[in-house]
Amino acid sequence: QVQLVESGGGSVQAGGSLRLSCVASGYTYSKYCMGWFRLAPGKEREGVAAIESDGSTSYADSVKGRFTISLDNAKNTLYLQMNSLKPEDTAMYFCAAVQKWTVIEALGVYEYNFWGQGTQVTVSS
């Protein structure tokens, strides 16, 4: 059974940085696509960043140049480095995974079937 546990959320001022972590267990990373998603009040869950089995990455336009997704296979940990944070980045952030070499839509919520419980990120102006 795949388990995903996020950490690293918190409260920061605009312009600050946070690094989210997602520790995975129950599978080998090489056979999964993984991503970060967020859910803000009054909005739908949206894809933020994703990394596929071949290492290719995808980012939402709103975070390009500010966020970086990475994977440490030795630690079974997925990261999301978030820089230059903005108040509109405030949301619950979720880690997700799917057992596929690649997906059609890397940032598509429907592609993923394993989800963590989320970690809250709050950015104040």
Side-chain angles (χ1 to χ4, degrees), residues 8 11 14 64 68 86 100 108 115 119:
S11 297
K64 281 181 181 176
T68 302
K86 304 175 180 180
K100 292 182 180 179
W115 293 83
T119 185

Side-chain angles (χ1 to χ4, degrees), residues 27 29-35 50-54 96-103 106 112:
Y27 68 94
Y29 268 101
S30 62
K31 299 180 180 179
Y32 279 75
C33 296
M34 301 194 72
I51 185 166
E52 298 186 50
S53 298
D54 64 356
V98 59
Q99 190 176 6
K100 292 182 180 179
W101 287 106
T102 186
V103 293
Y112 298 82

Side-chain angles (χ1 to χ4, degrees), residues 50-70:
I51 185 166
E52 298 186 50
S53 298
D54 64 356
S56 59
T57 57
S58 302
Y59 294 93
D61 288 342
S62 59
V63 306
K64 281 181 181 176
R66 300 189 297 121
F67 291 11
T68 302
I69 189 171
S70 62

Side-chain angles (χ1 to χ4, degrees), residues 16-82:
S17 298
L18 284 173
R19 188 176 78 159
L20 306 183
S21 300
C22 172
V23 178
S25 60
Y27 68 94
T28 56
Y29 268 101
S30 62
K31 299 180 180 179
Y32 279 75
C33 296
M34 301 194 72
W36 287 99
F37 296 78
R38 65 187 181 187
L39 180 62
K43 296 185 178 180
E44 295 185 352
R45 190 174 300 200
E46 64 173 351
V48 175
I51 185 166
E52 298 186 50
S53 298
D54 64 356
S56 59
T57 57
S58 302
Y59 294 93
D61 288 342
S62 59
V63 306
K64 281 181 181 176
R66 300 189 297 121
F67 291 11
T68 302
I69 189 171
S70 62
L71 189 57
D72 186 332
N73 288 319
K75 296 182 179 180
N76 281 357
T77 303
L78 180 73
Y79 298 102
L80 184 68
Q81 178 66 45
M82 305 186 295

